[in-house]
Amino acid sequence: MTDHQLSRRSALAGLGGTAVIGALSTSLLTGPEASAATPVQTTVPVPATDPAGSPPLNKKVEQRVGALLKRMTLAEKLGQLQLVNTPDLARKALATTPCGGVFSVIGAAQLNALQKQAVQHTRLGIPLIFGLDVIHGYTTNFPIPLGQASSFDPAVAETDAIVSAAEARRSGINWTYSPMMDVTHEPRWGRIAEGDGEDPYLASQMAVAKVRGYQGSDYSAPDKVAACAKHYVAYGGTEGGRDYNTVDVSIQELHNHYLPPFKASVAAGVATLMASFNTVAGVPAHANSYTLRNVLKDAFDFNGFVVSDYTGIQELIMHGVAGDGADAAAAGITAGVDMEMVSTNYVDFGKELLARGRISQSEIDDAVRRILRVKYSLGLFEHPYVDEAGEVTAVSAAARAKARSTGSRSMVLLKNDQAVLPLQKTAKVAVIGPLAVATYDLNGTWSGLGTGAGTTPPVTVLDGIRAAAGSPASVTYARGCDIESADTSGFAAATAAAAAADVVVLALGESAAMSGEASARSNIDLPGVQQQLLASVVVAGKPVVVVLFNGRPLTLQSTHDTATAILEAWAPGVEAGNAVADVLFGKVNPGGKLPVSFPRAVGQIPIYYNHQNTGRPADPNNKYTSKYLDLATGPLYGFGFGLSYTSFTISAPKLSSPRMNRHGGHLTVSVDVVNTGAVAGDEVVQLYVHDPVASIAQPVRRLRGFRRVGLQAGQSKRVTFTLTTDDVGFYDNRARFLVETGLVEVYVGNSSAADQKVTFTVV
Ligand code: BGC
C-alpha cells in the first residue's frame, strides 16, 4: 500500500465509516481501503518547526523591571495598566495615580510636557508610553495596507514602516497601533482596508515586514517605535461584515487561518498586541483566556504586553459575560489583557478584586512587568523626551519619492482591452469622475492623524495626469457626478468631454470614510450614480480607462463589461495622482496582484480562493453541486490576479526531490519565468500547495510562496522556493499541528488559478 493510500485511509477513518450515506458513501468506500478492518493511523502530530516565541528576554531589562516592580505600591501598579486618550485625563492621572500611557495625543511639545510631569513630578518617575494609530503613514501617507498587500512585495510594507516610524518617533510617538493583520473574507467589512486581505501566508509576510520596519533590531533607536499586532483575534470573521460583530470559528480555522500572522509577528519580536472587539466562539476576545493565555502567552511564548481595544474591557458588560465593571476587570485581567484603553475598570476595581481573591497579585505583577519591559526596551527611562526641533511636520522629498513608488507598486491592472494602456503622451485625455480632483479621499482610512488638520493633501489624479502628459493643454476635466449623490446633471458635460478626447480616464470609487472602522456596506457597488456615469461616458465611443479608488473589493461586473481598461489603485496616499499617472503612461508597468477575491455579486460573499472543496464541488453541468442558480461560479477577479503591459511565461515546476521527510524535511521547487513581451515588467510568481487526502478537509489551494520578479523584455530568471514541513502541515481541531504522510500537490503560476502542477510525497 502506498503512503498516499495510507494517509487516505486515515482520512476515511475520520468519517467513522458509518456517517456517510447514499451514493456518495458508495463511491468513497469502494477503493482498496474500504475493506480494511482496522484503520492504520498515519496522522502523527509533529510540532511546528517555524520559529515561535518572542526573542529571548534581555537580562539587564529584566533586572531593572524586577527592581522597579518591588518599589511599586498596588495603586502605582494598577495605574500602569491604564491608557488614556486626552492630555487632561493624563494630567489628572499623573497628579494622583500615574497612568501607564497616553494615545491619540500629538505634538512633540505637548507630549514632552506630559512626559515631564510623569518623569519629574511623580513618586517613581515612570515614563509614559505614547501611542497613535500610525497605520500607513504619520506625516507622509502611503497606500492603505490592502493596497500594500497588492504589491505582493513585503519591501513595500517595510518601506512605509521605516518612514512612518522615523516620522512618528521624532515627533514624540513611540508606539503605533499597527500592523493590523486580520485575515478576512468580508468585503462588506470596512476594516478590510486596514489589513492584507484573505490569505494568512501573505498577511504573515506583510505583517512581519511591518514589524521589522517599525521596530528594527532595537526599538529604543530614535527612529523606531514599538509595534502592535492587531486585532487579536479572528476579527476578520465578523458575521455579515458588520463591524464589532460575532465570530464563531472552529479551532482548526482559528489556528490555520486567523492566528498565523500573529504567530509570525510574535516570532518577529512584536512588542505588543491589541485584543479585538469580537467574540471568538462565544467568548469575547478581551475575556478569552484560551486565545490570550493558552495560545499567545503560553504556546507562542509572547513576552510583550496586550492592550485592550477602545473600551473593550467595558464592552464585556454589553457582550453579556460581565455583570458590572468589576466583573469586566476580573475577566480581562485573568484572561490576559494587560492594559485597559479608555475605560477605567482595572484602576477602579483592581484593589477590591485583589482583596476578594478574584484576581491574583501575580496576575497584576505579570501585566505590569510586561508593560515596563516594553518601556525599558523603548529606552524611555534613559531618553523620555523628544527633541522638539526634530518634529516632522512636512513631507520630505525622500518620503514623497517612496510614497510615489510604493503607490504605483501597489496598483493592480484588472483589464486592458485593445492594449489601451499605457496611454500615448500625445493623446488628448478627458479626465472625468468624482475622484479626479479628490484629495484626502485618496489617502483612505486612518490618515492625517500625525499632523492633524494640517496634513498634506494628496496629489490629485488630474494634476498627476497633467504633469505627465505631453502637454497639459491636451488634458480636459469634467466632474460628472459626486461620489455618493444622485445628481446626474453633470453627465452631459462629461459625455461631451469624452467625445472631444482620444481617451477617457474615469476616476471612480469610494470616499475615504466609506471604509475603515464602523464603515460596513451592505452593497459594494460603485456608490451613487457612478455606474450610470460610466454608461453615459461610454456613449461617446472613446476608450474608457476606469481608475478605481476604494478600500475594499467592489462588485464590478458592469464596470468590467463596459470599460476598456480597469486599474485598481486603492487609496495610494500623498503621491496618488503622480503614482496613477506613472502607471497610466507606462513609466511604471503595473505588477500588483489582488490580495482578496472580487465577488461577482454581494450575494456570493464569502468567496475566497482557499476554501475547502465540499463533497460536491461546483460543476456547471450538475445541479446538485455547490453553486448558485443565478451566478457563474467563482469570483469576478480571483486572489493573486493582475495583468501587466507585457507578457510572461512560467515553466513547469521542478522539484529537488520527490519526497519530503515529515520530521523536518524540506525540498525546493524551481521555475523559470520569462518576460515574453516588448517592455520591462514585474511578474509575481506564486506557489500553492494542496493536500488532497488529509485527516481534515484541506483548502483547494494554499499560498506558500510568492516572489515579485522584475524582468527586462526577453529576460528570464529562475525562481526557487523552499518548502518545509510547515508548508504542508496544518492544525487540527485539537490545535495540534500535523504533518501527515501522503501526496502533496504543488501549483505554480501567476494567480490562484495556477494550474502547472507537480507532486511530492511526505514520508
Ligand atoms: C480601533 C483600533 C485603534 C483604537 C485606538 C479602536 O476603535 O479598533 O484599531 O487602534 O481604536 O485608536
Side-chain angles (χ1 to χ4, degrees):
M1 187 176 282
T2 64
D3 290 316
H4 182 187
Q5 288 168 333
L6 282 172
S7 94
R8 176 148 183 223
R9 177 181 294 165
S10 78
L12 288 169
L15 295 172
T18 54
V20 229
I21 46 162
L24 278 176
S25 64
T26 320
S27 64
L28 265 177
L29 296 175
T30 44
E33 306 89 339
S35 57
T38 318
V40 178
Q41 178 56 269
T42 60
T43 306
V44 183
V46 173
T49 51
D50 58 344
S54 300
L57 293 172
N58 176 321
K59 260 197 183 148
K60 219 168 123 198
V61 166
E62 292 311 295
Q63 280 165 2
R64 295 177 74 184
V65 169
L68 179 54
L69 205 58
K70 280 199 189 115
R71 296 171 56 210
M72 294 173 77
T73 63
L74 177 60
E76 283 164 340
K77 287 178 180 175
L78 292 172
Q80 285 302 307
L81 312 187
Q82 180 67 50
L83 180 63
V84 302
N85 63 340
T86 70
D88 268 0
L89 286 169
R91 278 190 287 268
K92 244 184 237 162
L94 291 168
T96 52
T97 313
C99 55
V102 183
F103 77 105
S104 287
V105 172
I106 56 162
Q110 175 157 237
L111 294 171
N112 272 347
L114 292 174
Q115 194 68 298
K116 187 172 172 195
Q117 195 181 342
V119 171
Q120 298 181 20
H121 303 290
T122 64
R123 191 179 78 91
L124 294 171
I126 302 174
L128 296 161
I129 189 168
F130 293 126
L132 187 72
D133 291 277
V134 183
I135 307 297
H136 54 109
Y138 180 82
T139 310
T140 307
N141 282 296
F142 284 83
I144 53 168
L146 190 60
Q148 294 184 22
S150 304
S151 71
F152 273 68
D153 179 6
V156 163
E158 192 167 355
T159 299
D160 161 15
I162 289 171
V163 173
S164 300
E167 291 181 350
R169 187 76 187 251
R170 294 195 173 125
S171 307
I173 297 296
N174 44 47
W175 182 26
T176 176
Y177 301 139
S178 170
M180 191 273 214
M181 53 192 73
D182 296 312
V183 175
T184 185
H185 300 154
E186 254 307 341
R188 291 171 293 185
W189 190 43
R191 304 202 80 167
I192 194 171
E194 298 176 47
D196 306 301
E198 73 190 29
D199 182 70
Y201 181 82
L202 177 62
S204 301
Q205 304 295 312
M206 301 308 280
V208 165
K210 276 221 150 166
V211 171
R212 203 168 46 227
Y214 288 133
Q215 297 191 168
S217 56
D218 172 5
Y219 56 84
S220 73
D223 55 355
K224 293 293 167 196
V225 294
C228 182
K230 74 185 190 185
H231 303 83
Y232 192 76
V233 57
Y235 193 20
T238 181
E239 277 183 5
R242 292 188 297 284
D243 211 354
Y244 319 116
N245 208 8
T246 303
V247 177
D248 202 349
V249 62
S250 68
I251 290 289
Q252 70 87 11
E253 177 82 345
L254 182 66
H255 285 264
N256 290 314
H257 197 73
Y258 293 111
L259 281 166
F262 292 97
K263 185 177 181 203
S265 301
V266 171
V270 72
T272 71
L273 264 89
M274 185 184 292
S276 57
F277 285 127
N278 53 288
T279 51
V280 181
V283 183
H286 283 74
N288 202 311
S289 51
Y290 174 69
T291 55
L292 289 167
R293 289 240 184 252
N294 301 15
V295 176
L296 178 66
K297 291 184 175 175
D298 294 345
F300 293 178
D301 197 20
F302 172 63
N303 58 36
F305 73 84
V306 177
V307 63
S308 84
D309 204 344
Y310 206 105
T311 61
I313 295 295
Q314 182 76 12
E315 290 171 28
L316 293 175
I317 301 172
M318 282 308 285
H319 270 299
V321 300
D324 54 24
D327 266 5
I333 289 174
T334 52
V337 176
D338 303 303
M339 185 182 259
E340 182 172 6
M341 185 192 287
V342 179
S343 54
T344 58
N345 300 292
Y346 286 12
V347 276
D348 292 346
F349 303 107
K351 190 174 169 196
E352 165 197 331
L353 291 170
L354 183 65
R356 290 215 250 129
R358 291 188 64 191
I359 58 173
S360 67
Q361 188 63 54
S362 65
E363 281 165 342
I364 295 175
D365 286 354
D366 179 57
V368 178
R369 186 176 291 114
R370 288 167 180 274
I371 292 163
L372 294 178
R373 183 178 288 147
V374 171
K375 289 187 174 183
Y376 275 111
S377 304
L378 272 166
L380 294 181
F381 286 83
E382 288 77 22
H383 303 289
Y385 306 111
V386 62
D387 174 7
E388 288 169 29
E391 182 162 15
V392 184
T393 52
V395 178
S396 71
R400 209 172 248 294
K402 288 183 174 130
R404 183 167 178 166
S405 62
T406 54
S408 57
R409 217 167 158 75
S410 301
M411 293 177 193
V412 188
L413 184 64
L414 297 177
K415 182 178 179 186
N416 192 20
D417 275 8
Q418 307 155 28
V420 61
L421 291 176
L423 301 176
Q424 301 298 318
K425 286 239 173 200
T426 48
K428 280 203 274 173
V429 186
V431 180
I432 300 175
L435 275 304
V437 293
T439 55
Y440 293 109
D441 283 320
L442 307 189
N443 271 341
T445 184
W446 284 127
S447 66
L449 286 178
T451 45
T455 192
T456 312
V459 176
T460 68
V461 174
L462 182 60
D463 286 347
I465 289 178
R466 282 210 167 120
S471 123
S474 65
V475 180
T476 58
Y477 163 69
R479 183 173 178 81
C481 64
D482 293 335
I483 294 177
E484 285 192 85
S485 88
D487 182 5
T488 57
S489 60
F491 280 20
T495 311
D502 299 326
V503 62
V504 176
V505 172
L506 191 56
L508 303 178
E510 299 181 313
S511 65
M514 293 180 83
S515 63
E517 186 176 350
S519 301
R521 294 181 64 199
S522 65
N523 166 346
I524 55 169
D525 290 342
L526 282 166
V529 291
Q530 295 185 56
Q531 199 69 60
Q532 292 95 302
L533 174 65
L534 169 59
S536 67
V537 164
V538 162
V539 166
K542 301 298 167 63
V544 177
V545 177
V546 170
V547 182
L548 291 169
F549 301 93
N550 43 311
R552 56 159 59 75
L554 300 173
T555 35
L556 294 175
Q557 188 69 62
S558 308
T559 310
H560 179 81
D561 295 342
T562 321
T564 320
I566 305 175
L567 178 68
E568 176 55 79
W570 307 110
V574 69
E575 278 290 299
N578 287 332
V580 165
D582 286 345
V583 172
L584 293 181
F585 287 98
K587 188 172 165 194
V588 172
N589 187 347
K593 304 281 182 175
L594 292 179
V596 60
S597 308
F598 276 42
R600 296 174 192 275
V602 81
Q604 213 180 15
I605 299 167
I607 182 160
Y608 48 97
Y609 87 93
N610 47 356
H611 59 87
Q612 294 171 17
N613 215 2
T614 85
R616 298 180 182 197
D619 175 352
N621 301 315
N622 184 347
K623 180 174 181 192
Y624 293 93
T625 58
S626 185
K627 59 180 186 172
Y628 295 99
L629 288 177
D630 56 354
L631 211 57
T633 301
L636 179 62
Y637 304 119
F639 177 87
F641 170 76
L643 303 170
S644 167
Y645 298 157
T646 185
S647 52
F648 301 93
T649 58
I650 296 175
S651 67
K654 281 200 187 115
L655 292 170
S656 62
S657 163
R659 276 175 296 279
M660 178 191 284
N661 187 303
R662 74 171 194 267
H663 298 287
H666 62 91
L667 50 76
T668 62
V669 184
S670 308
V671 294
D672 292 320
V673 52
V674 189
N675 181 344
T676 53
V679 292
D682 291 2
E683 182 59 293
V684 179
V685 183
Q686 302 165 43
L687 180 151
Y688 298 84
V689 299
H690 175 225
D691 183 344
V693 185
S695 55
I696 60 174
Q698 289 299 298
V700 294
R701 295 265 197 289
R702 281 202 291 148
L703 182 72
R704 293 306 304 182
F706 62 87
R707 194 92 31 90
R708 183 164 173 162
V709 186
L711 293 167
Q712 298 300 318
Q715 197 188 355
S716 144
K717 270 188 197 164
R718 174 149 306 171
V719 175
T720 301
F721 298 100
T722 299
L723 292 179
T724 71
T725 48
D726 289 332
D727 298 303
V728 298
F730 55 85
Y731 290 88
D732 71 0
N733 277 310
R734 291 163 64 191
R736 298 180 309 171
F737 188 75
L738 308 181
V739 179
E740 296 183 341
T741 53
L743 196 78
V744 173
E745 298 166 355
V746 178
Y747 297 87
V748 185
N750 66 357
S751 80
S752 57
D755 58 2
Q756 300 211 75
K757 177 171 136 184
V758 65
T759 61
F760 64 86
T761 308
V762 177
V763 295

